[in-house]
Amino acid sequence: MPNSSSINEFLLLPLADTRQLQLLLFWLLLGIYLAALLGNGLISTAVACDQRLHTPMYFFLLNLALLDLGCISTTLPKAMANTLWDTRAISYTGCAAQLFFFVFFTSAEFSLLTIMSYDRYVAICKPLHYETLMDSRACATMAAAAWGAGVLNSVLHTASTFSLPLCQGNVVNQFFCEIPQILKLACSVFYLREVAFLIFSACLWFGCFVFIVVSYVQIFMAVLRMPSEQGRHKAFSTCLPHLAVVSLFLSTVLYAYLKPPSISSPSMDLMVAVLYSVVPPALNPLIYSMRNKEVKDALRKVVTKCVSEAVNCTSF
């Protein structure tokens, strides 16, 4: 029976059984990946280049776009390469690195989403104190705390998971290396420590979710008291998609990481993993920014400037 010292690589879950379906999925994943890169890249460029977007809300959107770029780049490129070349292998070091960065980006992103809900709460419910509570120093500190929480959580879980002796082979029933699937390979008497860490993290995440929900309840109550119908519509159109994405993200993550092994199936695990690892980074640019008039105006300026510069270059 193999142990962790003798494992040099892991075998990931194939996304399709036939070559034709593999190629179809490759092009589908490539399209999703390019859309996520384009959307998040444009948002990052627009916020960085447009002086009007140098406000707390857009500063956090910039951080969210960077985290989304990192999150989807951790999982999809390897899945696309394996699908294109009809292979399943990932090195032991590559698997550990993939797990580390995925936990880092997802943990930091959920922390940032919690901060963004607080930002909207202060902006709508305490507008007179907004500039004081959300000054540049406070925003930088909160963003740094989100990234730092991601690093701390990632180091904890990666070190704990890959210090376990592995007795159940090297086949990971997922298209990327995630903690629940690695735990299935661990010797049964040793993995309880990491399970305890997962439950502790889940409690913290659920606490963040409760904070987000309470913040939005306060926001919705304040919005309903607004005399302007246009103001209510703008607030609801901003907050409801935010709450929907957070709910989808947290529910699928908790299901993937805390479900009993008895109700696990490869197809269900694959679908849930796609919902929390691929869908949010691809949809966040549309939900958070592309529907925003200020961002669209900034993007229009950026694209116009790039086109004019390209035309000038070709004219020479």
Side-chain angles (χ1 to χ4, degrees):
M1 192 173 293
N3 55 47
S4 55
S5 62
S6 64
I7 293 177
N8 296 318
E9 66 177 18
F10 293 94
L11 299 179
L12 299 175
L13 180 71
L15 295 178
D17 298 327
T18 64
R19 188 59 183 157
Q20 291 80 3
L21 190 55
Q22 284 179 335
L23 294 176
L24 178 63
L25 285 174
F26 168 77
W27 289 110
L28 176 62
L29 293 177
L30 180 62
I32 294 173
Y33 185 55
L34 292 178
L37 291 183
L38 179 63
N40 289 292
L42 285 175
I43 289 171
S44 302
T45 303
V47 174
C49 295
D50 196 317
Q51 194 71 25
R52 296 176 304 168
L53 301 184
H54 291 179
T55 63
M57 183 177 77
Y58 296 112
F59 170 72
F60 293 133
L61 281 177
L62 170 62
N63 280 266
L64 181 67
L66 294 176
L67 290 171
D68 282 335
L69 284 173
C71 183
I72 201 166
S73 297
T74 299
T75 58
L76 277 197
K78 182 59 179 178
M80 289 189 294
N82 283 358
T83 302
L84 181 62
W85 301 113
D86 192 20
T87 183
R88 300 172 56 189
I90 183 172
S91 68
Y92 186 93
T93 303
C95 185
Q98 191 177 61
L99 188 148
F100 173 86
F101 284 109
F102 182 74
V103 175
F104 163 60
F105 286 120
T106 53
S107 300
E109 179 163 335
F110 198 76
S111 299
L112 187 67
L113 291 173
T114 306
I115 294 170
M116 290 171 67
S117 70
Y118 174 72
D119 171 69
R120 291 299 84 204
Y121 164 76
V122 176
I124 295 174
C125 299
K126 298 181 180 295
L128 298 179
H129 303 283
Y130 186 74
E131 292 187 2
T132 303
L133 294 175
M134 302 300 294
D135 61 10
S136 58
R137 184 188 181 99
C139 291
T141 301
M142 287 188 281
W147 288 79
V151 171
L152 182 61
N153 198 41
S154 184
V155 169
L156 176 68
H157 286 292
T158 304
S160 176
T161 300
F162 281 90
S163 66
L164 299 173
L166 305 180
C167 306
Q168 308 297 327
N170 66 336
V171 178
V172 178
N173 287 321
Q174 191 53 270
F175 72 95
F176 66 96
C177 290
E178 65 171 0
I179 295 174
Q181 302 301 330
I182 301 296
L183 290 183
K184 290 181 180 180
L185 308 180
C187 304
S188 59
V189 295
F190 292 101
Y191 70 81
L192 292 179
R193 178 187 58 190
E194 175 57 22
V195 171
F197 285 153
L198 286 176
I199 294 174
F200 176 72
S201 296
C203 291
L204 290 179
W205 282 29
F206 186 74
C208 291
F209 180 69
V210 171
F211 178 86
I212 292 172
V213 171
V214 171
S215 298
Y216 278 111
V217 168
Q218 297 293 322
I219 289 171
F220 294 151
M221 291 175 62
V223 167
L224 291 174
R225 292 194 294 267
M226 288 182 177
S228 169
E229 182 178 349
Q230 184 179 1
R232 291 197 300 269
H233 174 74
K234 183 178 180 180
F236 278 123
S237 65
T238 302
C239 297
L240 286 176
H242 184 183
L243 192 57
V245 171
V246 171
S247 300
L248 173 66
F249 181 73
L250 182 64
S251 61
T252 51
V253 167
L254 292 182
Y255 176 84
Y257 280 69
L258 298 181
K259 70 180 184 303
S262 58
I263 64 173
S264 176
S265 69
S267 58
M268 179 62 72
D269 291 345
L270 177 62
M271 182 180 71
V272 170
V274 169
L275 286 176
Y276 75 78
S277 66
V278 176
V279 173
L283 288 185
N284 278 344
L286 178 64
I287 291 174
Y288 287 104
S289 303
M290 297 304 184
R291 299 167 67 247
N292 185 292
K293 184 179 183 300
E294 289 82 2
V295 174
K296 287 192 289 188
D297 290 341
L299 288 175
R300 193 177 298 111
K301 288 184 178 180
V302 170
V303 172
T304 302
K305 182 179 179 180
C306 291
V307 171
S308 62
E309 290 179 353
V311 171
N312 292 334
C313 290
T314 55
S315 63
F316 286 103

